[in-house]
Amino acid sequence: MKRASVILAIAALLLVAPVLQGFSQVHVASAQDPIKLVFWNYWDGTNGEKIQELVDRYNEEHPEVEIENVFVGWGELLPKLQLAVAGGDAPDLAAADMVWMPALANSGALVPLNAFIEASGTDTSDFYPALLSVNTYDDQIYGLPVSTNNLELFINTDLFEAAGLDASAPPATWDELAAAAAQCADPDSGVVGMELYTQPGEGLTWQFQVYLWGAGGDFLSEDLTQAAFNSEAGLQALNFWLSLIDSGAYTLSDWGLFGQGQACMVLDGSWMVGGMAESAPFNWTTAAMPAPADGQPATNMGGEHAFIMAQDEAKQQAAWDFINWLTSTDVQIEWDEATAFMPVRDSVATNEAYMSWINENEPRLLPFVDMQQYAHNRPPVEQYSELSDVFSAMIERALYGQMDPQEALDAAEAAVNSLLS
């Protein structure tokens, strides 16, 4: 009897053991802490609210990960990243201005994404090549674009109509732009026909590059080792700006006339659409930036790219999973609708539902969406800020009559090549 009881007890233990083992495994799994990631970015306002909403949703849908969304101001983010890298305390992932990508990639602090992209089957050909190229060094991809914007023509329709112009038939060439600007300008009332950014700094360079590319030129050589703007196209672009000044279509002044209702037209960014829609005290519309009759459509672009800095492999995989999700077509459509950023992927720009949303809610964004395919990126070199400063300083001197156009381009070329050497 006693022997039978022992046998029954052993049998019971054998039956219960797998259950206990399973309970133990479940207990261990549930006790594992989620992988915590710190995500730095400078999106604020509506953009900041949306990225926080997306992060919260991702955390809820992926309990194995906990992402902390941390806002760092635009002017502070790059130096903070550099200090954090030097101190060994970098965030696990971040999203930053695309013009900083060369410096960040060359710092050695970013994790190459190629293996993650291949393993996840992400179709990088769907991203606009000019955007993706900013992240590619020595055949390694160090980031993916999350947001972008570009520059197109804003038109004050009240001033256009007062000058006998039809804003529904906007200028399509530089000649038409110059003619409309001259007709619309009213110097006695302080109204300029076409506002230009004429103060030294990136604002001038950023705007001038659109004209340079439209004329068929480029800012740097293909191998990024020397200036390329001192060309027939560069001279054509600079002479066009000077012709607007000489004709009275533009009077040299500080930037901001269009927003004050004192400029008929201006080249400005898609990020202005939301604010203008809410507060502009005049009627306005948008159009694609004109190009020379023998030129090509062109615009400049900005935006943010996401990258991984985590050293731990599990964190790297978790960070990639989030970036891959954030840059997916469906999430990007939601992001663009909430923020008015332009599509970074062709599958977003051609999505019927997205285009219907644009047409129904803010058709003035259409020129920006259409022209994103012609957007150029600024040269991906570490010295870009310095190049922009010396270039704009020389162009400003030409605009103020202190140098002739060719002399200014020669001086800018010498200064830029010196920085690149």
Side-chain angles (χ1 to χ4, degrees):
M1 184 66 182
K2 185 176 181 181
R3 182 169 181 271
S5 298
V6 170
I7 292 173
L8 286 172
I10 292 173
L13 283 172
L14 289 174
L15 288 171
V16 170
V19 176
L20 292 175
Q21 185 179 22
F23 173 80
S24 177
Q25 289 174 341
V26 170
H27 176 73
V28 169
S30 63
Q32 288 180 340
D33 293 330
I35 297 174
K36 294 186 177 181
L37 302 176
V38 176
F39 175 31
W40 286 8
N41 60 77
Y42 55 69
W43 287 307
D44 58 5
T46 300
N47 304 340
E49 292 173 4
K50 187 61 186 179
I51 194 63
Q52 185 63 59
E53 177 190 326
L54 290 172
V55 167
D56 290 344
R57 189 201 309 167
Y58 189 85
N59 285 339
E60 184 176 345
E61 294 175 354
H62 301 81
E64 72 279 8
V65 178
E66 182 179 326
I67 300 173
E68 181 186 2
N69 181 52
V70 178
F71 168 79
V72 181
W74 181 86
E76 300 174 359
L77 183 54
L78 182 59
K80 284 197 70 169
L81 283 171
Q82 292 169 328
L83 282 173
V85 169
D89 191 28
D92 301 300
L93 71 160
D97 194 315
M98 61 189 293
V99 297
W100 301 340
M101 290 304 295
L104 290 167
N106 289 330
S107 73
L110 306 192
V111 177
L113 303 181
N114 299 55
F116 297 108
I117 290 170
E118 183 176 357
S120 60
T122 302
D123 180 14
T124 55
S125 68
D126 191 37
F127 292 93
Y128 287 120
L131 281 169
L132 201 60
S133 67
V134 175
N135 302 302
T136 306
Y137 305 92
D138 297 328
D139 297 326
Q140 294 292 320
I141 298 175
Y142 288 94
L144 287 184
V146 179
S147 56
T148 191
N149 48 60
N150 62 59
L151 304 174
E152 304 303 337
L153 195 66
F154 284 73
I155 299 173
N156 183 320
T157 53
D158 292 342
L159 293 177
F160 249 49
E161 290 175 4
L165 294 165
D166 182 3
S168 66
T173 66
W174 282 8
D175 289 343
E176 293 177 4
L177 177 69
Q183 183 173 335
C184 195
D186 183 0
D188 292 339
S189 300
V191 173
V192 303
M194 177 66 187
E195 184 173 18
L196 302 174
Y197 200 110
T198 53
Q199 292 76 56
E202 173 62 3
L204 190 159
T205 306
W206 157 264
Q207 295 235 336
F208 187 85
Q209 287 168 336
V210 176
Y211 294 80
L212 174 66
W213 290 320
D218 214 337
F219 194 73
L220 294 185
S221 60
E222 188 173 350
D223 62 2
L224 306 176
T225 61
Q226 57 186 341
F229 52 75
N230 191 7
S231 61
E232 184 178 339
L235 192 59
Q236 182 183 1
L238 184 50
N239 279 330
F240 181 71
W241 276 34
L242 288 167
S243 73
L244 293 175
I245 297 171
D246 293 342
S247 70
Y250 174 67
T251 303
L252 290 162
S253 55
D254 291 339
W255 179 255
L257 294 175
F258 187 84
Q260 300 166 19
Q262 293 297 106
C264 300
M265 294 177 286
V266 70
L267 179 66
D268 214 331
S270 48
W271 60 87
M272 295 294 295
V273 171
M276 292 276 298
E278 292 180 358
S279 61
F282 52 85
N283 295 305
W284 58 280
T285 189
T286 60
M289 178 60 194
D294 59 349
Q296 51 201 10
T299 185
N300 211 329
M301 64 178 169
E304 290 76 39
H305 294 213
F307 46 86
I308 299 172
M309 305 182 86
Q311 297 302 306
D312 178 84
E313 290 187 3
K315 286 192 170 188
Q316 290 176 1
Q317 181 63 56
W320 164 253
D321 290 341
F322 174 70
I323 291 174
N324 199 32
W325 176 83
L326 182 61
T327 58
S328 65
T329 298
D330 289 345
V331 176
Q332 279 291 299
I333 289 173
E334 181 180 342
W335 172 243
D336 290 346
E337 289 181 356
T339 61
F341 280 126
M342 294 298 99
V344 298
R345 310 183 66 131
D346 182 67
S347 58
V348 174
T350 57
N351 183 276
E352 291 185 9
Y354 172 69
M355 293 307 295
S356 295
W357 181 89
I358 292 282
N359 278 298
E360 293 171 5
N361 292 277
E362 187 47 274
R364 289 175 292 196
L365 284 171
L366 281 173
F368 298 92
V369 177
D370 292 341
M371 288 289 286
Q372 187 61 39
Q373 60 186 310
Y374 303 114
H376 294 245
N377 60 282
R378 288 159 284 176
V381 293
E382 285 190 62
Q383 312 94 318
Y384 177 75
S385 294
E386 291 82 5
L387 304 185
S388 175
D389 286 345
V390 298
F391 172 80
S392 62
M394 295 302 109
I395 299 303
E396 184 207 25
R397 297 187 67 179
L399 298 177
Y400 279 84
Q402 298 167 355
M403 285 183 171
D404 69 46
Q406 188 57 65
E407 185 183 8
L409 289 172
D410 289 344
E413 179 183 42
V416 165
N417 285 343
S418 176
L419 287 168
L420 289 171
S421 63

